[in-house]
Amino acid sequence: MKSIYYYLLAGLMFITSGCSDWLSEDDAPKITYDYYETEDGINAAIVAAYGYLRWGVGGERFDVMTEMGTDLFTEGEDGSNRESFNKYATQLNPDVGILNELWENHYKGISDANIGMQKIMDSGSLIESVKKQSYAEMLFMRAYLYFDLVQQFGRIPLVTEGSFEVRTDFKRADVADIYNQIISDLRNAAEDLPEKASIQGRATRYAASHLLAKVYLTRGSAVTEARGQKSTDMDSTLYYAERVINSGAHQLQANFSSLWDPANPANSEVIFGIQFTTEPLYNGDGNKQHLFWLSWYEDQPGMLRDKENGRPYRRHVATKKTMDDLFDRLHDSRFYKSFKWVYYANNTNTLPKWEPLSYDGTVYFTPDASKGQIEGQLKFQHGDTAIWYTMQKTGLVTNSNDMRKFRADYTYSYFPRETHSIRYFPALSKYLDPNRPSVAEEKGSREWVRMRLGETYLLAAEAAGRKGDLEKAAEYINVIRKRAAWAEGETKDKQIWMFEGGQNNTESTYDDLKVTAADLNGDIVAFMLDERGRELLGEINRWEDLVRCELLLDWAKKYNPDALYIKEYHKLRPIPQKHIDRLNPAGEISEEQNAGYY
C-alpha cells in the first residue's frame, strides 16, 4: 500500500501558501487555486489538508492539552507547560502560545478544506466518482478539525465556505450548531469514502464512522452542558460503532503489546493513523511523542542514552491512581505491557564493580564471595539488566540512606514502588521510536494512531451501558478484556508472582478479568471512564473524556494532587488573545472570551 507522504511535496504548496491564513490581516495571497480542479491538484490538496492533522504531535501539544492535569497523569521533572495545564495556574490564559498555535493550525486546515470542496464541485473535468470521494475526504478533515476545536474551546467561529478574501468579522457559533455541522459532515463522508484506503493514512468509511460514534457519544454525554444533545445520541453511537465492528475491515491485535511494536505499523487494529516518515523532506515537525513520556536512565551504572531507550524529556508521570488503583495488576496484562520496567546495560565504560559501600564511615554492606560478589569484579555484564522498576512495596524505604542500603542488595539499579519519582518512574512505552536516524533526533517517524478498534468496542459498550443494555455493554467490554488478560500459554511478567501474589504459570487470566451485566449495574459512566483509562492510557484523549462527562473538576482534584488551582471554568480553554485582537468589529469581551479568562 502506498503511503501518503509520497504526495506531501506536491501538497506543501497549499500548506505554506494560499489564503488559508484567514485570521490574518496580511495581503491576500497571489496563488491560484485552479489546480484544485484537476485530479493531481485534488490529491495535492487532500494531502495538504492531512498535513494539518500532524500538528498535534509535532511538539508538546496535544499530549499536554489532553493528558496533563487529569486523573491519570501529572507533571514530570521538566517542561514549561506544567503551571498552565497541570496546575491550572494563572499561566493558563489567553496568551498561551500552544493554544494560539492550535487555533491557527486548525482554522488554516478548515479554510483549505472549504476552498478545496468549493473547487472540487466547480470542476468540470473530474469524473463523478473522484468528485464524491475527494469531497468526502475534505468533509472528514473539516469535521475532525472542528471536533478538536469545539472540545477545547466550546463556542467557536463556524465557517463552512471558502474565502479568497481576508476576513476579520467572525462570531462564535453555539456549541449545538458546531456539533450539528460535524455530524452532518461525517455522515455524508461515511457514505462516500471508500471501505479501504488506496493510500495508507487516508480516511475510510470506517474512520468516519468511528469518529461519528465518538462525536455522538460526546454530545450525548452532556448532563448540564448545552451541546444540542438528543435522546437518540446513544443509539447513533452504537449504530456507527457497530458498523465498524461488524464490517470485518479491522481486527484486534491478539496481544496488547503488538499495538506498540515499532515493527508493526498500520496493523489490523488501526482505523485511522496520521502518517510520518524517515524522509526529512516529507516529515515536517515529525512525531515527537517519543520524547515526552520517558524517565531518566543514562545516569545509572552501565547505561548511556541510545535510540532504543529514547531521549527522556520527563514530561508525564502516571498518578497514584494509575499505578496503584486503576488496574487489576494480577490479571490485566495491559498494566505491565503499557510501561517500560527493565533497561539492559549498553555502556561498557560504566559497568559497576563490587566494592564496600559505606555511609558516615560505617560499612553496611560487604560483598559476599559465596554469592559471586567479589570485590573488584563486575556486578553485571553488557546486555544484562541494569535498571529494574517494580511495584514491590518494601516498607523499608523512608529516606535516601535507606534507599542506598536497599539498592546495595541488588547488582543493578533497583527502583521499588516507594522510590518512583518525577525523574525516575516506569515510562509509558507506547511511543518509543527506535527507528530514528540518531539518538539526538527529535522528529520521530512513527504513525500517530488516532482511531483503533479497541476504542470502537469501548464506544459501543459505553453507549449500550448508557442505554441500559448492560448485557451488550458487558459483551463488548469482554472482547477487550479477553485481549487484556494474560493469554493461555503466555509468559507473565515476573512481577506477577514476585510481588502481585500470582503464580509463575502460563494460564489464562480471562476468567478473573471478564465482567457481567451485574458488575456494570452501578455507575456505568465511572466504570467506562476507568476502562478507557486502562485501554487507552496516554493515547491523547483523557482531558476530553473527563470534560465530556462533566467530571474534570471532581476527578482532577481527587486524583491529581498537582492540579492545585483547577476551577469549574477550566472545562474550556481560553480563546487566544491574538484572535480576539484581530476581530473587527469585536463584541463585548464576554461574547468573545470564555468565562473565567477575563
Side-chain angles (χ1 to χ4, degrees):
M1 181 181 290
K2 294 180 181 178
S3 179
I4 198 169
Y5 70 80
Y6 286 115
Y7 293 90
L8 277 173
L9 188 59
L12 287 175
M13 60 182 287
F14 293 100
I15 295 176
T16 58
S17 60
C19 52
S20 56
D21 194 358
W22 56 275
L23 293 179
S24 174
E25 296 183 15
D26 296 338
D27 290 339
K30 307 297 190 295
I31 189 171
T32 174
Y33 280 82
D34 292 342
Y35 187 51
Y36 270 125
E37 300 182 21
T38 69
E39 190 163 348
D40 286 344
I42 285 174
N43 276 328
I46 289 172
V47 172
Y50 281 111
Y52 291 107
L53 309 189
R54 289 174 153 195
W55 178 88
V57 291
E60 291 181 74
R61 295 170 182 170
F62 266 118
D63 62 302
V64 168
M65 292 185 289
T66 64
E67 297 296 341
M68 192 173 279
T70 69
D71 57 325
L72 302 184
F73 283 96
T74 188
E75 62 195 49
E77 179 185 36
D78 207 355
S80 59
N81 293 295
R82 295 176 297 173
E83 298 296 320
S84 302
F85 292 95
N86 195 52
K87 290 186 172 67
Y88 297 91
T90 56
Q91 288 87 343
L92 181 56
N93 60 58
D95 294 319
V96 173
I98 190 174
L99 296 177
N100 184 64
E101 291 173 16
L102 166 65
W103 186 276
E104 293 284 349
N105 178 80
H106 278 42
Y107 273 115
K108 286 177 181 178
I110 289 166
S111 179
D112 274 10
N114 286 337
I115 292 170
M117 283 186 277
Q118 177 181 321
K119 300 303 288 185
I120 288 168
M121 297 310 295
D122 288 345
S123 174
S125 61
L126 296 172
I127 61 174
E128 191 61 25
S129 61
V130 173
K131 270 191 175 184
K132 287 177 65 175
Q133 181 175 326
S134 302
Y135 195 87
E137 283 196 81
M138 290 297 195
L139 285 173
F140 173 86
M141 232 85 67
R142 184 170 72 183
Y144 179 110
L145 294 167
Y146 267 129
F147 189 44
D148 279 347
L149 289 169
V150 74
Q151 290 180 94
Q152 291 287 324
F153 297 107
R155 293 178 58 230
I156 52 176
L158 179 61
V159 183
T160 58
E161 294 182 358
S163 175
F164 292 90
E165 304 295 332
V166 173
R167 289 181 56 190
T168 61
D169 58 337
F170 295 96
K171 294 299 180 184
R172 296 201 290 168
D174 289 338
V175 169
D177 292 336
I178 299 162
Y179 273 98
N180 285 339
Q181 186 65 53
I182 293 169
I183 288 169
S184 175
D185 285 355
L186 287 174
R187 289 183 65 160
N188 286 317
E191 297 309 312
D192 290 334
L193 285 170
E195 292 192 1
K196 185 176 182 180
S198 60
I199 299 174
Q200 182 179 318
R202 289 175 74 155
T204 65
R205 176 173 303 172
Y206 302 115
S209 297
H210 174 103
L211 185 55
L212 193 47
K214 193 167 185 177
V215 170
Y216 274 120
L217 181 64
T218 302
R219 187 174 77 170
S221 296
V223 180
T224 62
E225 302 292 335
R227 299 178 196 152
Q229 54 268 35
K230 301 185 187 310
S231 61
T232 55
D233 280 344
M234 294 306 134
D235 296 303
S236 298
T237 301
L238 194 57
Y239 172 82
Y240 282 102
E242 289 182 332
R243 187 186 204 187
V244 179
I245 292 168
N246 296 332
S247 71
H250 299 277
Q251 294 81 40
L252 292 178
Q253 292 288 285
N255 192 311
F256 190 72
S257 294
S258 299
L259 282 165
W260 320 117
D261 184 352
N264 190 32
N267 60 67
S268 63
E269 187 163 335
V270 177
I271 299 170
F272 183 67
I274 296 170
Q275 302 302 300
F276 295 87
T277 173
T278 55
E279 295 291 337
L281 178 62
Y282 305 114
N283 207 30
D285 290 335
N287 182 347
K288 295 181 180 176
Q289 284 302 294
H290 63 93
L291 299 166
F292 306 133
W293 303 86
L294 306 181
S295 65
W296 203 251
Y297 64 89
E298 57 219 61
D299 62 339
Q300 299 302 302
M303 295 300 302
L304 55 77
R305 184 186 296 180
D306 64 7
K307 290 192 292 183
E308 180 178 357
N309 293 298
R311 185 174 177 179
Y313 274 33
R314 312 177 306 287
R315 299 300 197 257
H316 305 292
V317 178
T319 61
K320 182 180 185 301
K321 172 184 176 176
T322 299
M323 298 305 293
D324 294 330
D325 304 322
L326 183 63
F327 292 85
D328 174 354
R329 298 196 304 273
L330 178 59
H331 303 114
D332 192 336
S333 75
R334 290 175 297 189
F335 179 73
Y336 284 110
K337 291 175 181 178
S338 292
F339 294 98
K340 184 174 179 60
W341 301 94
V342 179
Y343 296 74
Y344 298 102
N346 62 5
N347 186 6
T348 57
N349 295 326
T350 62
L351 293 172
K353 296 180 179 180
W354 290 107
E355 57 186 25
L357 301 176
S358 63
Y359 181 71
D360 286 342
T362 302
V363 175
Y364 56 75
F365 180 83
T366 303
D368 185 345
S370 66
K371 298 179 180 178
Q373 302 169 356
I374 301 173
E375 281 191 52
Q377 291 193 2
L378 293 176
K379 288 186 175 183
F380 54 81
Q381 302 291 326
H382 184 273
D384 291 342
T385 296
I387 303 172
W388 189 28
Y389 287 93
T390 77
M391 292 299 294
Q392 182 184 20
K393 295 182 179 179
T394 65
L396 297 175
V397 180
T398 58
N399 57 48
S400 60
N401 297 337
D402 289 336
M403 177 57 189
R404 289 182 62 192
K405 186 175 192 308
F406 190 77
R407 285 176 58 180
D409 294 331
Y410 290 82
T411 59
Y412 42 77
S413 298
Y414 182 66
F415 292 92
R417 179 68 181 101
E418 296 100 317
T419 64
H420 300 176
S421 66
I422 60 174
R423 169 174 275 218
Y424 302 109
F425 53 88
L428 189 74
S429 58
K430 293 183 176 183
Y431 297 107
L432 285 167
D433 189 357
N435 295 321
R436 292 171 294 125
S438 71
V439 68
E441 180 58 64
E442 296 183 3
K443 297 179 180 181
S445 60
R446 285 195 66 171
E447 174 185 50
W448 180 23
V449 177
R450 295 301 286 138
M451 306 174 201
R452 61 180 178 87
L453 191 60
E455 184 184 26
T456 318
Y457 276 103
L458 296 182
L459 296 174
E462 185 171 342
R466 285 175 177 266
K467 283 167 50 66
D469 190 345
L470 300 183
E471 291 287 347
K472 179 171 281 191
E475 174 188 343
Y476 283 135
I477 291 167
N478 283 333
V479 173
I480 298 302
R481 288 281 179 106
K482 186 171 184 180
R483 195 262 298 277
W486 295 99
E488 189 72 30
E490 183 178 14
T491 301
K492 298 177 176 67
D493 191 287
K494 63 181 178 181
Q495 295 197 55
I496 296 296
W497 65 86
M498 293 184 70
F499 311 128
E500 304 290 7
Q503 300 295 315
N504 185 6
N505 60 35
T506 58
E507 295 178 3
S508 169
T509 60
Y510 173 57
D511 286 342
D512 297 290
L513 203 59
K514 65 184 178 182
V515 299
T516 66
D519 295 326
L520 306 179
N521 191 19
D523 189 342
I524 187 67
V525 173
F527 182 94
M528 290 308 307
L529 278 176
D530 280 345
E531 190 65 20
R532 285 179 64 84
R534 289 182 277 267
E535 177 70 18
L536 305 171
L537 187 68
E539 293 182 46
I540 319 298
N541 53 50
R542 190 61 176 182
W543 185 88
E544 292 169 348
D545 275 344
L546 296 180
V547 169
R548 75 171 171 84
C549 297
E550 300 181 29
L551 288 170
L552 174 67
L553 179 64
D554 291 345
W555 284 34
K557 287 179 68 173
K558 183 176 181 180
Y559 298 114
N560 188 338
D562 295 316
L564 297 172
Y565 309 110
I566 190 170
K567 300 290 190 297
E568 180 63 32
Y569 69 81
H570 287 124
K571 63 189 177 184
L572 294 176
R573 307 303 194 186
I575 302 297
Q577 190 62 43
K578 287 184 177 181
H579 163 70
I580 295 174
D581 290 343
R582 284 193 293 258
L583 292 175
N584 183 20
E588 295 293 327
I589 189 63
S590 59
E591 168 61 23
E592 308 297 358
Q593 184 55 272
N594 286 325
Y597 298 107
Y598 58 89

